[in-house]
Amino acid sequence: MELVLPPKKKTSIIKKVRNWGIFLFLVLMYVWTFATIDINWTRAAERMVNNFHRVIPKLFSPEWSAIGKVWSAMVETLYIAFAGSLMAAILAIPLGFLAAQNMTKSKVLTTFGKWILSGVRAFPDLILAILFVVAVGPNPFAGVLAIAIGSTGMLGKLYSEVLESIDMNIVEAMEASGANKVQILFQGVIPQIIPEFLSYAIYRFEIDVRASTILGIVGAGGIGTLIQFAQMNRNWEEMGLILLVIIVVVTIIDFLSSAIRRRIV
């Protein structure tokens, strides 16, 4: 028996024009971007070649004598990330409930909650770190606050989406049976959201570890401070060791975090 393949759908002229229009628009955007940026491409290429021969070999020759100092700074970075992530995971819970339509049953409150979360997410971690360094001084606590506030916006948004996707039939059945608000919260809502809340909090910790490695550049503590000193002193061997430690630690944390999140979800 001979198989007959279904006829291929012909792309309409309108779709072809649209696709080509999008392609040309993107090409023009790239051309305009690079044409308006004041870059001396010849000088940039020369410096890249010179730095490659001068810097790259030193990065691959780590200064192992500095391992104690680098590891101590990396541990401080992990403390900053963990404390900030924990604070964010707690602060994001009430904001997540506020931004969830099915929890507040009020469009005004939900919109207000979403505005708060959007406003918090608008600030990059480095900007927050600079603000908190000015507010509390150049120390790791500034980094903790920067991570906590920066992560709250993302976690609050994810938490609200989890809350809006729960099975409301359970909640409605408990309401019909006479359960009060506290009983509904602890027996109808929380059991549905705990796994995903924990998964998102752990995932955010992964991100915060990477973000914390750079906060020291603006005085917020952690291994970023050593990066700044190594760059200022042109100590590329120590910089190579710092980068190696960051890569190894972040890779291990990502692997462990992924395994934990798979088990939770």
Side-chain angles (χ1 to χ4, degrees):
M1 181 178 179
E2 186 178 354
L3 293 174
V4 179
L5 295 175
K8 292 183 178 180
K9 293 183 178 179
K10 294 183 179 180
T11 306
S12 65
I13 296 176
I14 296 176
K15 286 184 178 180
K16 286 182 179 179
V17 172
R18 183 197 64 185
N19 293 340
W20 276 106
I22 293 172
F23 174 74
L24 291 174
F25 174 76
L26 293 174
V27 170
L28 290 173
M29 283 293 294
Y30 276 105
V31 171
W32 176 79
T33 300
F34 284 105
T36 52
I37 295 176
D38 186 18
I39 298 178
N40 188 331
W41 294 102
T42 304
R43 184 181 176 187
E46 290 175 355
R47 294 194 64 177
M48 185 175 67
V49 172
N50 293 334
N51 288 335
F52 183 85
H53 291 293
R54 183 167 55 88
V55 175
I56 301 300
K58 294 181 179 180
L59 289 176
F60 284 93
S61 302
E63 187 179 331
W64 295 106
S65 60
I67 187 64
K69 177 177 65 175
V70 172
W71 179 249
S72 177
M74 189 69 228
V75 170
E76 183 178 75
T77 298
L78 293 176
Y79 287 160
I80 291 171
F82 178 77
S85 300
L86 182 61
M87 289 176 62
I90 296 171
L91 291 173
I93 293 174
L95 291 174
F97 273 88
L98 183 64
Q101 177 69 44
N102 58 341
M103 293 292 108
T104 61
K105 305 289 177 61
S106 169
K107 196 168 185 180
V108 174
L109 289 176
T110 300
T111 303
F112 179 65
K114 290 183 184 295
W115 281 357
I116 293 175
L117 295 174
S118 297
V120 172
R121 292 200 308 276
F123 292 93
D125 292 336
L126 270 179
I127 300 298
L128 291 171
I130 292 171
L131 294 176
F132 284 119
V133 164
V134 173
V136 303
N139 55 62
F141 185 54
V144 171
L145 293 176
I147 291 295
I149 301 303
S151 300
T152 297
M154 173 187 166
L155 285 177
K157 183 179 187 308
L158 293 173
Y159 286 178
S160 68
E161 291 175 355
V162 171
L163 285 163
E164 288 179 340
S165 65
I166 66 172
D167 186 359
M168 290 301 293
N169 291 329
I170 297 174
V171 175
E172 292 168 0
M174 293 184 69
E175 287 176 345
S177 63
N180 58 41
K181 297 293 184 183
V182 175
Q183 290 173 326
I184 292 172
L185 176 64
F186 283 95
Q187 298 179 27
V189 176
I190 290 180
Q192 296 189 66
I193 63 176
I194 282 292
E196 291 190 75
F197 272 31
L198 289 175
S199 176
Y200 283 133
I202 294 170
Y203 174 64
R204 184 64 208 190
F205 173 65
E206 290 181 36
I207 298 173
D208 289 339
V209 170
R210 292 189 286 272
S212 299
T213 59
I214 204 68
L215 296 183
I217 289 178
V218 296
I223 203 167
T225 305
L226 293 185
I227 293 175
Q228 185 182 31
F229 289 156
Q231 184 269 332
M232 291 171 60
N233 298 324
R234 301 293 191 268
N235 190 348
W236 305 119
E237 290 86 356
E238 184 174 312
M239 180 73 81
L241 178 62
I242 293 170
L243 295 177
L244 178 62
V245 169
I246 291 173
I247 291 170
V248 171
V249 172
V250 168
T251 301
I252 292 172
I253 288 175
D254 284 354
F255 175 77
L256 293 176
S257 173
S258 299
I260 293 171
R261 284 189 289 112
R262 280 197 300 269
R263 282 183 170 273
I264 290 174
V265 176

